[in-house]
Amino acid sequence: MPMLEDQLRQIMAEETARLHAAPDLVERVVRSSRRKRIRGRIATAATSLAVAAAVPLYLTAAPGAVQTSVVSETPDPSASETLGPPAIDDTPPARSEPPTLGDLGDGKAFKHIRVGYLPDGLQWTHWSVDYGESYTTSWNYDGDKTGFYCVQIFVYEGKTIQEVDDRVQVHRDEGEGEEVTVGDRTGYLIVQGVGEDGMKGTPTLFLNMGEQRRAEIMFSPVFVKKFRDAKAVDRELIKIAEGLTAVD
């Protein structure tokens, strides 16, 4: 089961890194999974005990053979009272912090990427996640990693490129978003996560940085409010993409 828990932490950490989800979200999911598995084991054990108590097996010796006979017997209710309920280990698993990119200084360069342009007034949040072939960091107004992000950039390399290409293709197939040109590179503009209730989504530009790299540039729905309209948001996303370069 530890393998399942590790996989859950990996998947949830990667998926929720995009939106700065609560840091204990993964642990809550894992804890819930552990409780369900524990309840399942208890139910199985209880069923086995009940069958064993109701239908005991007796072995009687016979020349050259062993005979098995089944005798019904009423279970003794005092037995379960003596044993009591099985103990439940509900101790939360040790918290595992995701790997980070370390101290990025002003945050303008992270791993294999350099950011040439950001909107005025933004500071590095001192927050990042690094899973090797995919990594991310963000910027806001006060540099507080516990606060809301304004701009976030997620980078995909190697095997993780297929995942982001598949997501972009889904948007194309559904007629959502639009193709854009970013200098001599291509990109795709889309507002992700728009709810049926009219909830504001996340303006995003997917940038093709070459055969082995993609970038996902996102504005938080709160940050978007500072812009006049959607066209102004798109222009700003493209300016960030134009200034995004590889350093390796």
Side-chain angles (χ1 to χ4, degrees):
M1 292 307 175
M3 183 178 295
L4 174 60
E5 295 182 2
D6 291 341
Q7 291 173 346
L8 281 170
R9 289 195 184 93
Q10 178 80 5
I11 293 170
M12 289 299 296
E14 287 178 345
E15 292 301 319
T16 59
R18 286 185 237 288
L19 302 178
H20 283 204
D24 65 338
L25 176 60
V26 178
E27 305 306 330
R28 293 201 301 268
V29 172
V30 171
R31 196 178 310 162
S32 174
S33 176
R34 292 185 73 215
R35 285 186 179 132
K36 290 178 181 177
R37 293 200 307 273
I38 290 167
R39 293 192 190 104
R41 290 200 300 267
I42 292 171
T44 301
T47 301
S48 299
L49 286 172
V51 171
V55 189
L57 299 179
Y58 292 94
L59 300 181
T60 57
V66 177
Q67 297 180 348
T68 304
S69 59
V70 179
V71 180
S72 296
E73 181 176 297
T74 303
D76 182 0
S78 62
S80 59
E81 294 176 0
T82 303
L83 291 174
I88 298 176
D89 178 11
D90 199 27
T91 304
R95 191 169 178 176
S96 176
E97 296 291 340
T100 73
L101 294 167
D103 186 357
L104 300 178
D106 63 2
K108 290 294 185 69
F110 61 105
K111 205 161 184 175
H112 305 142
I113 297 296
R114 181 174 296 280
V115 181
Y117 170 80
L118 284 172
D120 291 338
L122 296 187
Q123 303 179 45
W124 180 49
T125 60
H126 297 84
W127 172 92
S128 64
V129 176
D130 180 13
Y131 283 108
E133 291 187 326
S134 62
Y135 48 95
T136 182
T137 193
S138 61
W139 300 264
N140 60 15
Y141 288 119
D142 58 10
D144 182 0
K145 67 179 179 180
T146 64
F148 292 104
Y149 78 100
C150 293
V151 176
Q152 184 171 358
I153 299 177
F154 218 111
V155 181
Y156 305 85
E157 299 170 347
K159 295 178 181 178
T160 64
I161 289 176
Q162 189 60 52
E163 183 270 333
V164 70
D165 282 354
D166 289 345
R167 281 199 286 134
V168 172
Q169 190 58 50
V170 169
H171 292 309
R172 286 195 183 101
D173 293 344
E174 295 183 356
E176 301 171 341
E178 61 177 311
E179 306 281 354
V180 294
T181 299
V182 183
D184 60 351
R185 300 178 294 194
T186 59
Y188 200 83
L189 278 170
I190 183 71
V191 178
Q192 300 188 89
V194 178
E196 294 181 0
D197 59 354
M199 180 183 67
K200 298 294 184 181
T202 303
T204 304
L205 192 158
F206 292 97
L207 178 66
N208 186 338
M209 299 187 68
E211 185 177 348
Q212 293 300 316
R213 186 172 291 120
R214 305 285 186 273
E216 183 178 5
I217 307 166
M218 295 168 283
F219 282 2
S220 75
V222 174
F223 182 60
V224 168
K225 294 178 181 179
K226 76 182 292 291
F227 297 96
R228 182 174 63 255
D229 53 30
K231 289 187 179 296
V233 172
D234 291 349
R235 285 195 297 268
E236 200 73 358
L237 281 168
I238 291 174
K239 286 177 67 174
I240 294 175
E242 289 173 338
L244 205 61
T245 57
V247 296
D248 58 349

